[in-house]
Coordinates of all heavy atoms in Angstrom, one line a residue:
L206 N -4.8 9.8 16.4 CA -5.8 8.8 16.1 C -5.6 7.6 16.9 O -6.6 7.1 17.5 CB -5.7 8.4 14.6 CG -5.9 9.5 13.4 CD1 -5.7 8.8 12.1 CD2 -7.3 10.1 13.7
F209 N -6.8 8.5 20.4 CA -8.3 8.5 20.6 C -8.8 7.0 20.6 O -9.7 6.7 21.5 CB -8.9 9.1 19.3 CG -10.5 9.2 19.4 CD1 -11.2 10.1 20.0 CD2 -11.2 8.0 18.9 CE1 -12.6 10.0 20.1 CE2 -12.6 8.0 18.9 CZ -13.3 9.0 19.5
L210 N -8.3 6.2 19.8 CA -8.7 4.7 19.9 C -8.5 4.1 21.1 O -9.3 3.3 21.6 CB -8.1 4.0 18.7 CG -8.6 4.5 17.3 CD1 -7.6 3.7 16.2 CD2 -10.0 4.2 16.9
S298 N -19.7 8.6 16.8 CA -19.6 8.9 15.3 C -18.1 9.1 15.0 O -17.5 8.8 14.1 CB -20.5 10.1 14.8 OG -21.8 9.7 15.0
L299 N -17.5 9.9 16.0 CA -16.0 10.3 15.8 C -15.2 9.0 15.9 O -14.2 8.8 15.1 CB -15.6 11.3 16.8 CG -14.2 11.7 16.7 CD1 -13.8 12.2 15.5 CD2 -13.8 12.6 17.9
A300 N -15.6 8.1 16.7 CA -14.9 6.8 16.8 C -14.9 6.1 15.5 O -13.9 5.5 15.1 CB -15.5 6.0 17.9
T301 N -16.1 6.0 14.9 CA -16.1 5.4 13.5 C -15.2 6.0 12.5 O -14.6 5.4 11.8 CB -17.6 5.5 13.1 OG1 -18.4 4.6 14.0 CG2 -17.7 4.7 11.7
K302 N -15.3 7.4 12.5 CA -14.4 8.1 11.6 C -12.9 8.0 11.9 O -12.1 7.8 10.9 CB -14.8 9.6 11.5 CG -16.2 9.9 11.1 CD -16.5 11.4 11.2 CE -18.0 11.8 10.6 NZ -19.1 11.0 11.3
V303 N -12.5 8.0 13.1 CA -11.2 7.8 13.5 C -10.8 6.4 13.1 O -9.5 6.2 12.6 CB -11.0 8.1 14.9 CG1 -9.5 7.6 15.4 CG2 -11.1 9.6 15.3
G304 N -11.6 5.4 13.3 CA -11.3 4.0 13.0 C -11.0 3.9 11.5 O -10.0 3.2 11.1
N305 N -11.9 4.5 10.6 CA -11.7 4.4 9.2 C -10.2 5.1 8.9 O -9.4 4.6 8.1 CB -12.7 5.3 8.5 CG -14.0 4.3 8.4 OD1 -14.0 3.2 7.9 ND2 -15.1 4.7 9.0
A306 N -10.0 6.3 9.5 CA -8.8 7.0 9.3 C -7.5 6.3 9.4 O -6.5 6.2 8.8 CB -8.9 8.4 9.9
Y307 N -7.6 5.5 10.6 CA -6.4 4.8 11.0 C -6.2 3.6 10.1 O -4.9 3.4 9.8 CB -6.6 4.3 12.5 CG -5.4 3.8 13.3 CD1 -4.5 4.8 13.8 CD2 -5.0 2.5 13.2 CE1 -3.4 4.3 14.5 CE2 -3.9 2.0 13.9 CZ -3.0 2.9 14.3 OH -1.8 2.6 15.0
I308 N -7.3 2.9 9.7 CA -7.0 1.9 8.8 C -6.3 2.4 7.5 O -5.5 1.8 6.9 CB -8.3 1.2 8.5 CG1 -8.8 0.4 9.7 CG2 -8.3 0.2 7.3 CD1 -10.2 -0.3 9.7
L309 N -7.0 3.5 7.1 CA -6.3 4.1 5.7 C -5.0 4.5 5.8 O -4.1 4.5 4.9 CB -7.2 5.4 5.3 CG -8.6 5.1 4.8 CD1 -9.3 6.4 4.8 CD2 -8.5 4.3 3.5
N310 N -4.4 4.9 7.1 CA -3.1 5.2 7.3 C -2.2 4.1 7.1 O -1.0 4.1 6.8 CB -2.9 5.8 8.8 CG -3.0 7.3 8.7 OD1 -2.0 8.1 8.3 ND2 -4.1 7.9 9.1
A319 N -12.7 1.7 2.2 CA -12.8 1.7 3.6 C -14.2 1.8 4.1 O -14.6 1.3 5.0 CB -11.8 2.7 4.2
L322 N -16.3 -1.3 4.4 CA -15.8 -2.4 5.3 C -16.8 -3.0 6.2 O -17.6 -2.2 6.7 CB -14.5 -2.0 6.0 CG -13.2 -1.8 5.2 CD1 -12.1 -1.4 6.1 CD2 -12.9 -3.0 4.4
V362 N -3.9 -2.0 13.3 CA -5.3 -1.8 13.0 C -6.2 -2.6 13.7 O -7.5 -2.3 13.7 CB -5.4 -1.9 11.5 CG1 -4.4 -1.0 10.7 CG2 -5.3 -3.3 11.1
L364 N -6.9 -2.7 16.8 CA -7.5 -1.8 17.7 C -8.5 -1.0 17.0 O -9.7 -0.8 17.5 CB -6.4 -0.9 18.3 CG -7.0 0.2 19.2 CD1 -7.8 -0.4 20.4 CD2 -5.8 1.1 19.6
A365 N -8.3 -0.5 15.8 CA -9.2 0.3 15.1 C -10.4 -0.5 14.7 O -11.6 -0.1 14.8 CB -8.6 0.8 13.9
V366 N -10.2 -1.7 14.3 CA -11.4 -2.6 13.9 C -12.1 -2.9 15.1 O -13.4 -3.0 15.1 CB -10.8 -4.0 13.2 CG1 -11.9 -5.0 13.0 CG2 -10.1 -3.6 11.9
V368 N -12.7 -1.1 17.8 CA -13.5 0.0 18.2 C -14.6 0.1 17.1 O -15.8 0.4 17.5 CB -12.6 1.3 18.0 CG1 -13.5 2.6 18.1 CG2 -11.6 1.3 19.3
L369 N -14.4 0.0 15.9 CA -15.6 0.0 14.9 C -16.6 -1.1 15.3 O -17.8 -0.9 15.1 CB -14.8 -0.3 13.5 CG -14.1 1.0 13.0 CD1 -13.2 0.5 11.7 CD2 -15.0 2.1 12.4
F398 N -19.7 -1.3 8.9 CA -19.3 -0.4 10.0 C -20.1 1.0 9.9 O -20.4 1.5 10.9 CB -17.8 -0.2 9.9 CG -16.9 -1.3 10.3 CD1 -15.8 -1.7 9.8 CD2 -17.3 -2.0 11.6 CE1 -15.0 -2.7 10.2 CE2 -16.6 -3.1 12.1 CZ -15.5 -3.5 11.4
N399 N -20.1 1.5 8.6 CA -20.6 2.8 8.5 C -22.2 2.9 8.1 O -22.4 2.6 7.0 CB -19.8 3.5 7.4 CG -18.3 3.7 7.8 OD1 -17.9 4.5 8.7 ND2 -17.5 2.7 7.3
W473 N -8.0 12.3 2.1 CA -8.0 10.8 2.1 C -6.9 10.2 1.2 O -6.2 9.4 1.6 CB -9.2 10.3 1.8 CG -10.3 10.5 2.8 CD1 -11.5 11.0 2.6 CD2 -10.3 10.2 4.3 NE1 -12.4 11.0 3.8 CE2 -11.6 10.7 4.8 CE3 -9.4 9.7 5.3 CZ2 -11.9 10.5 6.1 CZ3 -9.6 9.6 6.5 CH2 -11.0 10.0 7.0

Side-chain angles (χ1 to χ4, degrees):
L206 297 177
F209 177 92
L210 294 171
S298 295
L299 178 57
T301 298
K302 294 176 174 65
V303 168
N305 283 300
Y307 196 81
I308 290 174
L309 288 172
N310 268 281
L322 290 178
V362 303
L364 172 62
V366 171
V368 168
L369 288 166
F398 285 136
N399 301 282
W473 293 126

